[in-house]
């Protein structure tokens, strides 16, 4: 997943993923990749993945069932 932070002035975003509809969250490692930030996560075998992203003072957003994973 690639994340751009145009208004954040290059600040590192924080990312989390959940495979249980947001009951528990796991931090997603974020590294610099070219001109963007890249978060790398492992999908569950099947089901939905919820995502949460935060950049201090800019955004704190959660999307439950952001995408589905099919076998």
């Amino acid at each position: 997943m690639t994340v751009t932070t145009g208004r954040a002035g290059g600040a590192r975003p924080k990312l989390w993923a959940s495979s249980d509809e947001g009951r528990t969250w796991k931090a997603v490692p974020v590294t610099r990749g070219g001109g963007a930030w890249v978060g790398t996560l492992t999908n569950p075998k099947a089901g939905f993945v919820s995502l949460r992203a935060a950049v201090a003072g800019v955004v704190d957003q959660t999307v439950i069932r952001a995408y589905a994973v099919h076998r």
Side-chain angles (χ1 to χ4, degrees):
M1 151 185 349
T2 302
V3 180
T4 57
T5 56
R7 289 185 30 203
R12 177 187 297 264
K14 294 182 181 180
L15 300 174
W16 299 267
S18 172
S19 58
D20 61 7
E21 308 224 359
R23 288 187 291 278
T24 59
W25 294 93
K26 182 176 178 182
V28 174
V30 177
T31 58
R32 193 76 158 152
W37 294 99
V38 178
T40 303
L41 62 109
T42 302
N43 284 326
K45 291 182 181 180
F48 292 94
V49 176
S50 298
L51 298 172
R52 180 173 186 198
V55 177
V58 178
V59 67
D60 187 344
Q61 184 171 9
T62 301
V63 179
I64 303 297
R65 290 188 170 202
Y67 64 92
V69 177
H70 301 282
R71 274 189 167 213

